[in-house]
Amino acid sequence: MSTTVTSGTSAAPADPTRTPDGLPKLYHGRKSGWRWRPQLSHLFLVPFCLVWVYPFIWMFSAAFKSQREMLLGGLSLIPEEPTLDNFSRAWTTAKFGEYTVNTIIFTVLVVAIVLLVTSLAGYALSRPGLPFKKLIIGILVATMFIPHGYTIIPVFLLVNELGLGNSLLGAALAQAAPVHVVPVLLFMGFFGGMPSELEDAAKVDGAGFFRTFLSIMLPLAKPVIGTVALMNFISAWSAFFVPLVFTLGNPGLRTLGVGMYNFFGQESTDFAGLAAGATISVLPTIVVFLLLQKTFIEGIAGAVKS
């Protein structure tokens, strides 16, 4: 018969850097090699990162070059004689000042419409007992594989019937109208993971469906709202096809993506001005991404857990 002897005090954890006698270890075994593995992987990935960001850096540097230097300067990244004439030409001659205002209005409308529609749809689909829930989700997922180009004609006719043709609101409706399946699924997963006691407490207080959604559930979905807003901001800001079709009758309502056409002439192309215009177009997306990156990561992480 064996007996177990326990002491009243717990022993202090052993120091992995010292021997049982208390002397410093001269050899740490395999753990010392594992310690350097992240740094080695970073060194391996640095060349790939440089290749990945090189086109953007070249575009940014080309915006400060003259037309001649841009065409004959090769892959050099440092302008010999930096100039701001390209930005001035893009802002005034190519009307990027007007197009920036149009793009801001268009993007804000698209993000607002998508957030309103997808959050309501996600909340409704997250409720248990919804009839034909699986069928609705299946149809939504199936629409992911239908390109914009296939539905642009009926959407164009529908927007014209609403009296919104040749307007930024009509273009924003056309951009936001196709079913955004990923945002709906993000909201559905988030709201589905919320405890039902929140809704029960709201019902006891006399709150209806929309009041419960707006006052209780939606404020808790800030990470998902940030993620959906960022995704659609980038998509709407750089949109080309829908704004092109819906501003054909009114070129003054063009967005930045469509405005790039102003640098292409019948006999020549202003590549330096095009680089300056592209730089003006991409800077707001970088700023917005840096502001919302934390919310974006939290929203994606929450969606993956759901």
Side-chain angles (χ1 to χ4, degrees), residues 28-43:
H28 297 285
R30 294 183 59 186
K31 289 186 177 179
S32 61
W34 287 93
R35 189 190 313 171
W36 292 100
R37 174 165 290 188
Q39 287 80 356
L40 293 175
S41 64
H42 291 169
L43 291 175

Side-chain angles (χ1 to χ4, degrees), residues 3 7 31 33 35 54 61-62 66 77 87 102 114 119 126 135 139 153 162 173 189 193 237 266 270 277:
T3 58
S7 59
K31 289 186 177 179
R35 189 190 313 171
Y54 176 80
S61 68
S66 64
L77 295 178
F87 289 96
N102 295 338
V114 170
S119 60
S126 68
L135 177 62
I139 294 174
I153 294 178
L162 293 173
L173 279 175
W237 189 272
Q266 293 183 350
D270 184 0

Side-chain angles (χ1 to χ4, degrees), residues 9 12 52 54 76-77 94 112 124 134 202 246 268 291:
T9 58
W52 185 266
Y54 176 80
S76 173
L77 295 178
K134 292 184 179 178
F246 282 83
S268 62
L291 292 176

Side-chain angles (χ1 to χ4, degrees), residues 59 63 86-87 90-91 94 96 256 260 263 271-283:
M59 178 197 72
N86 300 324
F87 289 96
W91 194 259
F96 264 51
L256 289 171
M260 292 291 179
F263 297 103
F271 287 106
L274 184 63
T279 303
I280 294 173
S281 301
V282 78
L283 284 179

Side-chain angles (χ1 to χ4, degrees), residues 24-81:
K25 283 184 178 180
L26 299 178
Y27 175 68
H28 297 285
R30 294 183 59 186
K31 289 186 177 179
S32 61
W34 287 93
R35 189 190 313 171
W36 292 100
R37 174 165 290 188
Q39 287 80 356
L40 293 175
S41 64
H42 291 169
L43 291 175
F44 177 75
L45 293 174
V46 165
F48 293 96
C49 293
L50 293 177
V51 172
W52 185 266
V53 301
Y54 176 80
F56 172 74
I57 298 175
W58 187 88
M59 178 197 72
F60 184 75
S61 68
F64 295 91
K65 296 178 179 178
S66 64
Q67 186 79 352
R68 180 179 178 279
E69 183 183 357
M70 182 181 177
L71 295 176
L72 302 178
L75 300 178
S76 173
L77 295 178
I78 301 176
E80 296 179 357
E81 298 178 357

